[in-house]
Amino acid sequence: MVTIQDVAKAAGVSAMTVSHVINDHPHVKRETRERVLRAIADLDYRVNVAARNLRTGRTGTIGLAVAEIDRPYYGQLAAAIIAAAARHDLKVAIEQTGASREGELDALALSRNRLYDGLILSTVGLGPADTDLLKVDYPMVILGERIFDGPVDHVAMPNVEGARAATAHLIERGCRRIALVEGRLGDEVDVSSLRFDGYREALEEAGIPLDPRLLIHIEAFTMEEGAAAARRLSDSGAEVDGVFCVTDTVAIGVLRGFADRGVRVPQDVKVIGFDNIAEGAYTVPSLSSIDPDHSLMASTAVRFLVGRVAEKGKKRPVAREFISRFTVVARESTGG
Amino acid sequence: MVTIQDVAKAAGVSAMTVSHVINDHPHVKRETRERVLRAIADLDYRVNVAARNLRTGRTGTIGLAVAEIDRPYYGQLAAAIIAAAARHDLKVAIEQTGASREGELDALALSRNRLYDGLILSTVGLGPADTDLLKVDYPMVILGERIFDGPVDHVAMPNVEGARAATAHLIERGCRRIALVEGRLGDEVDVSSLRFDGYREALEEAGIPLDPRLLIHIEAFTMEEGAAAARRLSDSGAEVDGVFCVTDTVAIGVLRGFADRGVRVPQDVKVIGFDNIAEGAYTVPSLSSIDPDHSLMASTAVRFLVGRVAEKGKKRPVAREFISRFTVVARESTGG
DNA sequence: TTGTACGCGTTATCAC
DNA sequence: GTGATAACGCGTACAA
């Protein structure tokens, strides 16, 4: 294995100078630099990242913990984060938490083990009760809800506002009997409960009473659960002319479930989701949604994290918070 | 920062003994072990992975280079690989190549920089002409085609056989004018050309002449290109009663494109894809496909790679090769 | 502008 | 069963 010493010897300089050349330090005569570069090329020298990491205390890798990378929402988020991290010369290692509390705690532990310079954690299972666990001594950014008070940076979606806009959009299109497909796991504040709040507010504003029979509970935000929910809703005989789904993935399942029952979208029922995943533009009918600008969220999360990494060791200042903006994307599922 | 020395001091032993305890070596008296463990807990000691990496020459992380993690196929593959790697205590860092030759070369370079213990490379842009570039001196497994002769392990899909089965499935369902939506980028052997071979073979076996007007070329394997292809096909007025799409993602776009033109699937045209991505079960109509058993491919790729990592430094034996099996998944898009 | 000396935290070797 | 010592390869004071 060719080391920096070998290069130094070949170039007739000290390892120090080689290091300067590698790290683009000034104060190296051009001639010397060129000689070193030639030696590097000749010997096919590569820096040993492990040694550099040990010395600098950085790994050049950040962790990204998401529920499951094979769900479109997380895949698209991960792609955006990887791209944003690359602009800071950072690599991204992906952890899958399986949407469980334990999985998220595992991810926290990994960074504590100094595998990563920092962690971007997409929370699903952790709730306000776990605030203490988030008081970690390494850079972290929570990608999710504004439900934590601790000194932790947040990048969140406009859940309440977006859900209100989605519901209002259905109302504008003439819906009056609007179901909500949601999945609150307990009494805690989570994505589902925040989006429920927006749904409730929009109904109130329009003077439409909230009918508990139109709240369809699902156990996971999957297409499968969405399809089952739509079938249940249809089979129940409940009058429904609109459905707001807690995520697009669920909405795609809902579209499928309605198709199974011969319910026409948007003629019989209008459907809207949340996230604006890429697939929504290609379903039949295409899916209306709320677009929370994932790439803005991703770049902000990375920016926050990079900032924390840079100021590592300093006293922890107040937590930063960023709520993304959103737009309503009207497609065929709500009448175009 | 608390080091192994601190623990050693606190436990009244040497650092070596602490190391033995950490790494589960035998030959440590139980009493000593317990004292050490208590010290570790008391001090909240964490091993410094960077130092361990430097010493052992391993990073505990493998690279996975895919075109774009936000495409369902790669997302689902990545999830399977992360799960398989976890069973070997390995982390996975994801590189996005953007489906380009340069991106794939960059990924090769990163591993050469010893960032990873090994690399699983999903090739799209590299062709047989690049065989030399794949003669790298670190563990690597190619996830893709059997198009490389070099001493590199392969895990491939049954492209020709699967495509033949897909086409034969359409023929069985009564199709005679079968279009192929494909995207060969040049004269090289790639996914598209292999699946074309299978398509051609199936037509031959059924005595159906190949009509070049039914070969629809696309520039990328995306939903967008698929939708455009279906619209072109429909607008061309060509008689078509079946379409085999080179991937499911493209097929989902094709379904959408046909919907745009009022072409009914499967009544007017039957459609089948390749990959059996999860979304295919929830499209309307649901998508028939070829399932190449991704999880088997993923676990095999990781197994190959782990084997190479273990035998690192030894002479390079012959390349291993694994061709996955497949099943035909018949859904609504071909008549159920 | 370049070189020397040393430390980063861990583990392998080998002795006891 | 336990410990002393020497690497692993790089970066950084500090000296020259």
Side-chain angles (χ1 to χ4, degrees):
Chain A
M1 177 183 290
V2 35
T3 77
I4 203 171
Q5 305 290 348
D6 301 331
V7 176
K9 207 165 294 173
V13 297
S14 78
M16 183 62 228
T17 305
V18 179
S19 176
H20 278 159
V21 170
I22 292 169
N23 299 299
D24 271 337
H25 285 188
H27 308 313
V28 179
K29 224 191 323 189
R30 192 167 61 205
E31 199 200 38
T32 314
R33 175 189 307 280
E34 277 163 10
R35 209 166 60 239
V36 170
L37 288 175
R38 196 157 340 110
I40 288 178
D42 286 351
L43 300 176
D44 197 32
Y45 163 76
R46 316 276 164 181
V47 297
N48 182 323
V49 213
R52 172 181 285 172
N53 291 348
L54 174 59
R55 188 65 191 131
T56 61
R58 300 255 170 92
T59 66
T61 299
I62 62 174
L64 170 64
V66 296
E68 287 166 332
I69 190 66
D70 52 347
R71 294 199 205 160
Y73 166 70
Y74 293 115
Q76 287 162 36
L77 195 64
I81 285 178
I82 290 173
R87 289 195 287 275
H88 295 271
D89 280 325
L90 287 170
K91 297 290 155 194
V92 177
I94 292 182
E95 302 293 324
Q96 299 200 102
T97 64
S100 73
R101 194 168 165 280
E102 306 79 56
E104 293 175 7
L105 292 177
D106 282 350
L108 288 171
L110 282 171
S111 304
R112 201 174 301 122
N113 284 350
R114 295 189 273 251
L115 265 180
Y116 308 131
D117 290 342
L119 179 69
I120 295 179
L121 176 64
S122 170
T123 50
V124 179
L126 290 174
D130 299 305
T131 300
D132 279 353
L133 297 171
L134 297 179
K135 289 180 179 156
V136 296
D137 59 353
Y138 54 85
M140 175 163 73
V141 174
I142 299 279
L143 202 55
E145 312 325 317
R146 298 152 61 184
I147 53 179
F148 301 106
D149 292 328
V152 183
D153 291 347
H154 296 62
V155 172
M157 291 197 229
N159 283 304
V160 179
E161 302 77 2
R164 189 167 53 208
T167 311
H169 175 74
L170 290 173
I171 295 170
E172 265 171 39
R173 297 292 162 111
C175 301
R176 286 297 173 271
R177 302 272 309 157
I178 301 175
L180 173 68
V181 178
E182 45 103 52
R184 278 169 292 172
L185 299 172
D187 293 330
E188 290 189 351
V189 177
D190 63 7
V191 182
S192 208
S193 71
L194 290 169
R195 293 185 188 170
F196 168 77
D197 289 345
Y199 164 82
R200 191 170 37 71
E201 289 177 21
L203 291 184
E204 261 173 30
E205 280 167 22
I208 300 175
L210 192 154
D211 183 344
R213 287 171 302 177
L214 295 182
L215 301 180
I216 313 298
H217 185 82
I218 55 178
E219 294 297 324
F221 297 172
T222 61
M223 295 182 287
E224 189 178 0
E225 287 280 314
R231 288 190 296 259
R232 280 206 308 277
L233 189 60
S234 172
D235 294 346
S236 76
E239 260 182 80
V240 178
D241 56 12
V243 180
F244 169 40
C245 304
V246 71
T247 74
D248 277 0
T249 296
V250 169
I252 289 175
V254 164
L255 291 181
R256 179 66 236 182
F258 279 143
D260 289 340
R261 291 297 183 263
V263 176
R264 294 167 309 162
V265 178
Q267 296 90 333
D268 302 334
V269 180
K270 299 192 183 2
V271 175
I272 190 167
F274 200 119
D275 282 344
N276 194 30
I277 64 176
E279 282 73 10
Y282 294 90
T283 54
V284 180
S286 57
L287 181 65
S288 297
S289 190
I290 299 298
D291 182 347
D293 202 334
H294 289 148
S295 75
L296 178 61
M297 291 177 62
S299 58
T300 304
V302 171
R303 193 158 44 78
F304 278 7
L305 194 63
V306 167
R308 292 298 185 201
V309 172
E311 72 191 13
K312 195 166 183 175
K314 293 187 188 162
K315 69 183 189 328
R316 188 171 288 275
V318 289
R320 271 169 296 190
E321 181 173 297
F322 175 78
I323 314 289
S324 193
R325 61 196 178 194
F326 74 92
T327 51
V328 178
V329 180
R331 296 205 185 94
E332 292 169 355
S333 68
T334 54
Chain B
M1 176 183 290
V2 37
T3 77
I4 202 172
Q5 305 290 348
D6 301 331
V7 176
K9 208 166 294 173
V13 297
S14 79
M16 207 47 243
T17 304
V18 179
S19 176
H20 280 154
V21 171
I22 293 169
N23 298 299
D24 271 336
H25 285 187
H27 308 312
V28 180
K29 223 190 324 187
R30 192 169 58 203
E31 197 199 38
T32 314
R33 175 188 308 279
E34 278 163 8
R35 209 166 61 241
V36 170
L37 288 175
R38 197 160 335 111
I40 287 177
D42 287 349
L43 300 176
D44 196 32
Y45 162 77
R46 316 276 164 180
V47 297
N48 183 325
V49 207
R52 172 180 287 173
N53 292 348
L54 174 59
R55 183 62 227 203
T56 61
R58 300 251 171 95
T59 67
T61 299
I62 62 174
L64 170 64
V66 296
E68 287 167 331
I69 191 66
D70 52 347
R71 294 200 206 160
Y73 166 70
Y74 293 115
Q76 288 162 34
L77 194 64
I81 285 179
I82 290 172
R87 289 195 288 273
H88 295 272
D89 280 325
L90 286 170
K91 297 290 156 193
V92 177
I94 292 183
E95 301 293 325
Q96 299 199 99
T97 65
S100 73
R101 194 168 164 279
E102 305 79 56
E104 293 176 7
L105 292 177
D106 282 351
L108 288 171
L110 282 170
S111 304
R112 202 175 299 124
N113 283 350
R114 296 190 273 252
L115 266 178
Y116 309 130
D117 290 342
L119 179 69
I120 295 179
L121 176 64
S122 171
T123 50
V124 178
L126 289 175
D130 299 306
T131 301
D132 279 353
L133 296 171
L134 297 179
K135 289 181 180 156
V136 297
D137 57 354
Y138 54 83
M140 175 164 72
V141 174
I142 299 279
L143 201 55
E145 312 325 316
R146 298 152 61 185
I147 54 179
F148 301 105
D149 291 328
V152 183
D153 291 346
H154 296 61
V155 172
M157 291 197 227
N159 283 304
V160 179
E161 302 78 1
R164 190 167 51 210
T167 311
H169 175 73
L170 290 173
I171 295 171
E172 265 171 39
R173 298 292 162 110
C175 301
R176 286 299 173 271
R177 303 271 309 158
I178 301 175
L180 173 69
V181 178
E182 45 102 52
R184 280 168 290 170
L185 300 172
D187 294 331
E188 289 189 352
V189 177
D190 63 8
V191 182
S192 208
S193 71
L194 291 168
R195 294 185 188 170
F196 169 76
D197 288 345
Y199 164 80
R200 191 172 36 71
E201 289 177 20
L203 291 184
E204 263 172 28
E205 280 166 22
I208 300 176
L210 192 154
D211 183 344
R213 287 170 303 177
L214 295 181
L215 301 179
I216 314 297
H217 185 83
I218 56 178
E219 294 297 325
F221 297 171
T222 61
M223 296 182 287
E224 189 179 1
E225 286 280 313
R231 288 190 296 259
R232 280 207 307 277
L233 189 61
S234 172
D235 294 345
S236 76
E239 263 181 77
V240 179
D241 56 13
V243 179
F244 169 41
C245 305
V246 71
T247 75
D248 276 2
T249 296
V250 170
I252 289 175
V254 164
L255 291 180
R256 179 66 238 183
F258 278 142
D260 288 339
R261 290 296 183 262
V263 176
R264 296 168 308 164
V265 177
Q267 296 90 333
D268 301 334
V269 179
K270 299 191 182 1
V271 174
I272 189 166
F274 200 117
D275 282 343
N276 195 29
I277 64 176
E279 283 74 9
Y282 295 89
T283 53
V284 180
S286 58
L287 182 65
S288 297
S289 191
I290 299 299
D291 183 346
D293 202 336
H294 289 147
S295 76
L296 178 61
M297 291 177 61
S299 59
T300 305
V302 171
R303 194 158 43 76
F304 278 8
L305 194 64
V306 167
R308 292 298 184 199
V309 172
E311 72 191 12
K312 195 166 181 174
K314 291 186 190 165
K315 70 179 187 330
R316 188 170 288 275
V318 290
R320 273 170 294 191
E321 181 172 297
F322 174 78
I323 314 290
S324 193
R325 61 197 178 193
F326 74 91
T327 51
V328 177
V329 181
R331 296 205 186 95
E332 291 169 354
S333 69
T334 55

